[in-house]
């Protein structure tokens, strides 16, 4: 019976880079100790390949899973906001122009950084109120 894994055996590009770096460092340390005449040079290989390599790959997978979760949460937040806008438009709370403006604003501000940039750009476009006329 053949068990098929959903994930690639090769791993992600980041996993491959980390694995390559850990293996290179393991060989460098191990053979460096051998060249220096250290009789315990061989300890670098089991420590590197059985300890450091799996730990590094595990940390990369944890990092990537958290990145995926954050992206999924952001996507679901956008979908919830769109659903709310659609409901408000369907109930007549928003005009067509207001709905389209809010959808555009929502789609251009998918991340917090995008939202900050959009707000600052909007403030730059809007004329500031005249302070002297408000005081009179």
């Amino acid at each position: 019976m053949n068990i098929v894994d959903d994930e690639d055996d090769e791993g992600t590009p980041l996993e491959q880079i980390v694995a390559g770096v850990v293996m290179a460092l393991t060989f460098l340390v191990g053979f460096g100790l051998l060249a220096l005449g250290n009789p315990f040079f061989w300890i670098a290989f089991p420590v590197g390949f059985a300890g450091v390599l799996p730990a590094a790959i595990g940390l990369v997978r944890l990092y990537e899973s958290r990145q995926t979760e954050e992206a999924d949460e952001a996507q679901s937040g956008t979908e919830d906001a769109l659903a709310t806008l659609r409901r408000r438009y369907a109930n007549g709370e928003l005009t067509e122009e207001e709905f389209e403006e809010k959808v555009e604003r929502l789609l251009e501000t998918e991340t917090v950084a995008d939202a900050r940039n959009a707000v600052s750009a909007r403030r730059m476009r809007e004329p500031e109120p005249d302070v002297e006329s408000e005081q009179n």
Side-chain angles (χ1 to χ4, degrees):
M1 181 188 260
N2 222 354
I3 298 177
V4 178
D5 211 12
D6 286 342
E7 295 182 19
D8 293 340
D9 290 338
E10 297 174 6
T12 64
L14 183 58
E15 286 179 23
Q16 292 175 355
I17 291 170
V18 168
V21 168
V22 170
M23 288 190 295
L25 288 174
T26 300
F27 282 124
L28 182 67
V29 169
F31 289 123
L33 290 173
L34 175 65
L36 292 173
N38 189 323
F40 299 106
F41 73 91
W42 59 271
I43 293 176
F45 297 106
V47 168
F49 290 119
V52 177
L53 183 61
I57 297 296
L59 288 173
V60 167
R61 288 183 179 168
L62 177 66
Y63 170 77
E64 289 177 337
S65 71
R66 287 193 176 169
Q67 295 297 323
T68 303
E69 288 172 7
E70 289 176 6
D72 290 345
E73 287 175 9
Q75 181 66 25
S76 99
T78 301
E79 290 172 2
D80 291 344
L82 279 171
T84 301
L85 284 175
R86 286 186 187 118
R87 181 184 45 76
R88 289 182 62 198
Y89 177 67
N91 290 339
E93 297 173 26
L94 297 174
T95 65
E96 185 174 350
E97 294 81 24
E98 291 172 329
F99 174 74
E100 289 176 2
E101 177 187 331
K102 290 180 186 299
V103 168
E104 281 182 32
R105 190 177 301 161
L106 177 67
L107 294 177
E108 69 185 22
T109 59
E110 289 190 20
T111 65
V112 174
D114 291 342
R116 286 187 184 130
N117 292 339
V119 167
S120 63
R122 201 173 313 118
R123 287 182 181 159
M124 298 280 288
R125 286 189 305 240
E126 293 175 359
E128 294 195 21
D130 189 13
V131 177
E132 291 178 14
S133 63
E134 288 181 4
Q135 292 177 352
N136 293 332

